DNA sequence: TTGTATGCGTTATCAA
DNA sequence: TTGATAACGCATACAA
């Protein structure tokens, strides 16, 4: 494998000149540049990124820690991140945090100098970083999830407003008993979206009923569970608002199994706007999150942060997508 | 940021001893080890991976180039790769090749010393590597795709046998006119699976009809297109075998739009065994590929290759999953 | 415009 | 068992 030394030898210049030619071509003379460029081709020289990074003290790599790579919601976000990263000469290391300890492993890469910054995708702040909250955190952006404790730079949509809009739409169509399937645990998304749901109810004087709220995982099984629960109620809801399309898919499936027809007997509203929603039966009414754009903006935000600029929150627009799973009561 | 020097100073030893303590603790005396370990904690020292890699001339990083990260088929494979990688102290860089030039960019990482090996996931051999086919390729494994030209180490299922099995199942249920939705272009998977399809027909003396073969992208739109095409035929098929579940989803959707009920009027068979298949309407009969295991084995194979061991092909078992989208003719 | 020399942080060799 | 030293490949300060 050729090094700069080989190139320098062939071009009859010093390695310093080779380096300059590659980094700042306008700082060397025309003839030297051509000679070096020729030598680079002839030797098949490729730069050793390790050495360059060590010297420059930067890696031009960012880590994306995603809560579950298998969740289709994230794949397009990752695509957006990747697009923006490559366009700016960054590399993306992808960490799946669905396994124990992975968030820790991946967030440490910043400290072992394998990455310059960190993106958390639906992942709470990992423990080792939590300890440093007060002192100095590495460049870091959270996407699609708000850290409840402290204020960390975040990119996402206005979840409260979006949930309110979704609920309002159901109310407008005559629904008063609206089931709500949230995420699990102390997920900040749950809090925001639940608040929007409550606000919509309150604005129309519909009493809030704790029985109509159920926490489930963001996947079809979670939706199935929720549907079974709602069905067991003395007075089941006439509409269900899921905090994720993946849950809505499970609701649709389970409703079918129970012989409940959607949207005739039950309206189902999703959240996220996954492509698969257009292929569900019935097609899924939902809130669209601009996922690719979310990814791009997240990466931009991180690059700002890595440049030392103050990272600010970014709120992107959402959109109510009306399809076939919601109907008049 | 603390370096070995800081640790050495605090522990009153040389940096060489610090290095030894970290790499080969049994090679230093008990007391030194304890002193060094203490100093590591006190300084908050983290190793600089760049420097280590430069010195050791290895990165412990592998690149996974995936044809489209948005295709759910790959996400579990990636998960398997990641599991095996982390378990063996490797890092995974993920490259999405759905954009122009990306396969080139990512495969070059091996040459710029940012990765030790390469996994191609549904991606043909990138150009820069094709040029070196005869000479020395870097450690490389292809997953779920066979390189037609040359023999490269590959991990996957027996696509021919699996397709044959799927087709035989349809034939057994009385179907004679079986549509086949393949992948696009000169995809090697298309060739293998089409061959299995043909073999099954031939074994039962069903004549092969070119009209019943249609090439489409591995996504729902591809399936929709195919369904429309089959519907336009003078004598449409009574069953459709899709080379991907994602296509089958589009077929199901389009059939619904056309008022064709599945499986009563039309049987639909998928391929891959994606989780979503259990939530389709009707639930999808399909061929299960052991995706996580495929990922693990692929990574194992690559690690063999990086150790200099001869990489051998690996064939993993598939399974026919009978659900609700296929019925007797 | 170019070359010399030095250092980035680590590890391997060699000698003590 | 330990330390001094050199080297991995590159980029920069400084001198020429």
């Amino acid at each position: 494998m050729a090094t700069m030394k080989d190139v320098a030898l062939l071009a009859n210049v010093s390695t310093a000149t080779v380096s300059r030619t590659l980094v700042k071509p306008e700082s060397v003379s025309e003839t030297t540049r051509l000679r070096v460029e020729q030598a680079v081709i002839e030797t098949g020289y490729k730069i050793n990124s390790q050495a360059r990074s060590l010297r420059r003290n930067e890696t031009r790599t960012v880590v994306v820690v995603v809560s579950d790579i298998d969740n289709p919601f994230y794949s397009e976000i990752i695509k957006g991140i990747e697009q923006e990263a490559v366009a700016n000469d960054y590399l993306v290391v992808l960490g799946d945090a669905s396994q124990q300890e992975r968030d820790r492993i991946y967030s440490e890469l910043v400290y072992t100098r394998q990455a310059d910054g960190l993106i958390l995708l639906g992942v709470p702040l990992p423990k080792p970083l939590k300890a440093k909250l007060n002192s100095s955190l590495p460049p870091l952006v959270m996407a699609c999830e708000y850290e409840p404790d402290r204020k960390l730079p975040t990119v996402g949509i206005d979840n409260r407003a979006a949930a309110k809009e979704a609920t309002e739409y159901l109310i407008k169509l005559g629904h008063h008993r609206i089931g709500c399937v949230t995420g699990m645990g102390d997920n900040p998304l749950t809090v925001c979206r639940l608040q929007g749901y409550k606000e919509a109810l309150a604005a129309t004087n519909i009493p809030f009923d704790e029985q109509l709220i159920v926490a489930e995982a963001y996947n079809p099984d979670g939706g199935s569970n929720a549907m079974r629960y709602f069905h067991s109620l003395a007075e089941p809801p006439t509409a269900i608002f899921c905090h994720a399309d993946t849950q809505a898919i499970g609701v649709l499936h389970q409703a079918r199994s129970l012989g409940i027809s959607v949207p005739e007997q039950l309206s189902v509203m999703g959240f996220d706007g996954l492509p698969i929603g257009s292929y569900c039966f019935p097609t899924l009414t939902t809130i669209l999150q601009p996922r690719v754009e979310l990814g791009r903006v997240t990466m931009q935000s991180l690059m700002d942060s890595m440049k030392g600029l103050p990272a600010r929150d970014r709120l992107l627009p959402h959109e109510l997508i009306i399809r076939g799973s919601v109907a008049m009561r």
Side-chain angles (χ1 to χ4, degrees), chain A:
Chain A
M1 193 114 278
T3 71
M4 277 199 180
K5 219 168 163 182
D6 303 308
V7 178
L9 237 53
L10 189 61
N12 208 30
V13 294
S14 70
T15 58
T17 299
V18 176
S19 176
R20 275 189 293 255
T21 308
L22 297 178
V23 174
K24 236 168 143 248
E26 67 276 17
S27 74
V28 301
S29 76
E30 173 83 7
T31 55
T32 321
R33 185 171 60 69
L34 291 174
R35 268 220 317 293
V36 170
E37 284 169 355
Q38 183 58 32
V40 164
I41 293 170
E42 280 182 32
T43 54
Y45 169 79
K46 300 272 184 237
I47 196 157
N48 183 323
S49 291
Q50 314 251 41
R52 165 175 282 184
S53 294
L54 177 61
R55 180 61 230 247
R56 288 189 173 170
N57 198 28
E58 66 161 19
T59 64
R60 292 206 82 81
T61 298
V62 300
V63 185
V64 176
V65 189
V66 54
S67 63
D68 184 4
I69 194 191
D70 214 33
N71 184 330
F73 174 63
Y74 296 117
S75 45
E76 283 181 274
I77 298 184
I78 294 171
K79 225 170 180 166
I81 293 174
E82 198 259 9
Q83 280 173 19
E84 199 65 23
V86 170
N88 290 277
D89 246 326
Y90 276 93
L91 209 59
V92 175
V93 168
L94 188 69
D96 181 307
S98 62
Q99 315 251 331
Q100 202 77 41
E101 287 294 292
R102 285 294 203 285
D103 59 338
R104 201 184 53 64
I105 293 180
Y106 286 111
S107 55
E108 291 238 314
L109 294 179
V110 177
Y111 294 112
T112 56
R113 299 244 124 85
Q114 301 186 74
D116 300 334
L118 192 59
I119 291 175
L120 298 176
L121 220 55
V123 169
L125 199 64
K127 255 212 193 112
L129 294 185
K130 226 163 204 159
K132 316 211 171 183
L133 250 184
N134 303 310
S135 53
S136 60
L137 277 178
L140 179 158
V141 178
M142 306 198 80
C144 310
E145 176 136 352
Y146 291 85
E147 181 65 17
D149 318 337
R150 316 272 169 149
K151 202 59 188 160
L152 292 174
T154 304
V155 175
I157 63 165
D158 185 337
N159 284 287
R160 192 197 48 71
K164 189 176 176 196
E165 202 175 319
T167 312
E168 279 170 348
Y169 176 65
L170 293 170
I171 294 173
K172 205 179 66 186
L173 291 181
H175 296 280
H176 293 164
R177 279 189 75 71
I178 302 174
C180 188
V181 188
T182 75
M184 304 262 278
D186 55 353
N187 187 324
L189 295 181
T190 295
V191 178
C192 294
R193 295 182 189 167
L194 202 50
Q195 195 193 338
Y197 165 87
K198 286 180 183 172
E199 283 178 18
L201 294 187
T204 3
N205 290 317
I206 300 176
F208 173 73
D209 183 351
E210 188 74 56
Q211 278 213 319
L212 293 178
I213 310 300
V214 53
E216 286 291 347
Y218 289 141
N219 59 36
D221 275 344
S224 288
N225 294 342
M227 183 67 235
R228 270 191 297 269
Y229 164 74
F230 287 133
H231 186 61
S232 75
L233 255 39
E235 196 185 348
T238 64
I240 298 177
F241 168 37
C242 301
H243 283 194
D245 284 352
T246 45
Q247 294 173 326
I249 287 169
V251 167
L252 291 180
H253 179 76
Q254 190 61 43
R256 218 145 40 216
S257 302
L258 295 168
I260 301 167
S261 64
V262 178
E264 293 79 5
Q265 296 171 266
L266 176 71
S267 285
V268 177
M269 163 81 71
F271 201 107
D272 287 345
L274 299 185
I276 186 79
S278 329
Y279 291 94
C280 291
F281 178 58
T283 56
L284 193 58
T285 295
T286 187
I287 296 283
L288 175 68
Q289 296 203 55
R291 295 182 298 283
V292 174
E293 192 58 20
L294 276 170
R296 305 188 73 112
V297 171
T298 300
M299 184 64 205
Q300 286 165 7
S301 191
L302 181 63
M303 289 189 297
D304 281 354
S305 183
M306 291 187 298
K307 274 184 210 139
L309 298 176
R312 59 199 177 84
D313 284 5
R314 306 278 221 104
L315 236 47
L316 267 53
H318 61 267
E319 189 188 346
L320 174 65
I321 305 285
I322 296 176
R323 290 200 280 244
S325 61
V326 171
M328 292 269 285
R329 180 171 163 230

